[in-house]
Amino acid sequence: MGSKNKNIIIVKRLFIWILYLYAGFILYAKKGYLFPFIITFAKVIYPLSIFWLQIRIKTKDNFLPIDETMRTSQLWFNILPVLASFITVIITILNVFLYLTYKLI
């Protein structure tokens, strides 16, 4: 039962990574379907978000390592990459869905 559950997790992660990499391909290779400044933001942050996610997954850290003893600068240092990556994921996936609906219609 454990190997079946592990295989499902691997398939889910593989699907998410393929979708995100395809979204990056559409982001860089095709015309953007959102506002230009949003596409520019996503183009800048997209490679950083992949790098940041790989580090977090590999080290198995929390996505938001927040502690009550942290200072404001430390909180911003931990929150900004998470926020930027999350926004980039939303922008790239939305851009792919708009691209696909435009191609289908």
Side-chain angles (χ1 to χ4, degrees), residues 45-82:
I45 302 297
Y46 179 81
L48 298 172
S49 68
I50 291 176
F51 177 70
W52 180 82
L53 286 171
Q54 281 295 88
I55 288 174
R56 293 295 177 159
I57 290 170
K58 193 171 197 173
T59 59
K60 296 182 181 177
D61 286 340
N62 293 333
F63 282 123
L64 283 172
I66 296 175
D67 189 7
E68 63 268 356
T69 62
M70 296 175 121
R71 286 180 262 139
T72 305
S73 60
Q74 292 172 324
L75 286 172
W76 279 112
F77 184 75
N78 286 326
I79 291 173
L80 284 179
V82 173

Side-chain angles (χ1 to χ4, degrees), residues 21 25 38-39 56 86:
L21 291 175
F25 173 74
I38 293 175
I39 295 296
R56 293 295 177 159
F86 184 67

Side-chain angles (χ1 to χ4, degrees), residues 2 13 45 96 102:
R13 283 187 183 175
I45 302 297
V96 151
Y102 180 75

